[in-house]
Amino acid sequence: MHDWKKDEQKLYVPPVSPHVIHVPKQLYFVIDGGATQEPNDVTERIHTLIALSDAVKHMPDSGYSPPGFTDYTIYPLERLIHSDAEAPGSACNCSLMIRQPDFIDNETIDRAFTLVHREQNLPHLPEVAFEEFEDALSVQMRMQNERTERQAGLEAIDRFLLENDWKRRTGVHREIYCGSSLQASDEIIYRVFVEEVQ
C-alpha cells in the first residue's frame, strides 16, 4: 500500500528549516474555502472533499477498478491561501483541497461524484472541481500548528528567500495539514512558489 508519510517524505515530512524543493504535477479535488468565517461551513466543505476522496479509494468495492489502481492512504488536507493579507489560520480567501492518486481518470471522478451524491446529502458537492496543480520550484518548511509558530514559519521562509537570492512567483502559498483537520493537525507544512532573482 502506498503511504504518503512513508513513501513521499520529501513532500510530507520535510525538514523544519526552509529548503528548496521541486514539486511535480499533482491532481486534486478542490473547493472554495468559503466567504464566511463560520466553522461549520468550513467543516462541511472539508467533509465533502473527504467523502469524494474516500469514494475514490474504495472505488473497487463499488464494482469498478480504475486502471493502475493500487491501495493507498488518503492524502492530507491542504489549503491554497490566495492572499498573505489574511491572518494565518482564519477562514480567509483560500481553496481547500485533497490530493488524489495518479491513477485517477475521468471515469473514476464521475463515479465518485455519483456515489457521494447518491449516498450523502452534501450541499457543497456541486462546488467541487477537479484540478491539476504543479507547484514546481518551491521553498517549504515544517512547523508546529500554532498561530505564533505559523507566522514565524512564513517569516523564516521570507528570510531564506532574501538570503539566497530567491523571490516568490506569487503571493499565494500552500499549507499542508498532516492531521485529520485544520485544527487537529499537530504540524503544518508551509510552501511558497519561487524563482531566482534576476
Side-chain angles (χ1 to χ4, degrees), residues 77-79 81 88 150 173-177 188-190:
L77 176 70
E78 304 185 22
R79 290 201 309 173
I81 309 296
R150 296 162 78 188
H173 77 269
R174 184 181 297 279
E175 299 179 354
I176 304 172
Y177 299 83
I188 184 171
I189 298 166
Y190 290 98

Side-chain angles (χ1 to χ4, degrees), residues 32-33 80-86 92-97 133 170-173:
D32 183 77
L80 205 61
I81 309 296
H82 301 298
S83 173
D84 282 347
E86 303 288 352
C92 58
N93 180 18
C94 69
S95 298
L96 299 163
M97 56 185 63
F133 290 85
T170 172
V172 174
H173 77 269

Side-chain angles (χ1 to χ4, degrees), residues 24-97:
K25 176 184 73 175
Q26 297 175 335
L27 307 171
Y28 289 87
F29 285 130
V30 184
I31 191 169
D32 183 77
T36 72
Q37 303 282 341
E38 293 297 327
N40 288 344
D41 182 72
V42 175
T43 299
E44 288 177 1
R45 293 170 186 273
I46 293 172
H47 181 67
T48 303
L49 294 176
I50 292 173
L52 284 168
S53 300
D54 191 64
V56 172
K57 174 178 170 60
H58 294 100
M59 191 62 63
D61 297 338
S62 69
Y64 175 71
S65 186
F69 178 90
T70 55
D71 196 13
Y72 64 98
T73 303
I74 291 177
Y75 284 94
L77 176 70
E78 304 185 22
R79 290 201 309 173
L80 205 61
I81 309 296
H82 301 298
S83 173
D84 282 347
E86 303 288 352
S90 66
C92 58
N93 180 18
C94 69
S95 298
L96 299 163
M97 56 185 63

Side-chain angles (χ1 to χ4, degrees), residues 102-116:
D102 292 341
F103 64 74
I104 195 169
D105 57 11
N106 289 335
E107 179 73 12
T108 305
I109 296 167
D110 290 343
R111 286 175 176 265
F113 273 91
T114 299
L115 283 169
V116 173

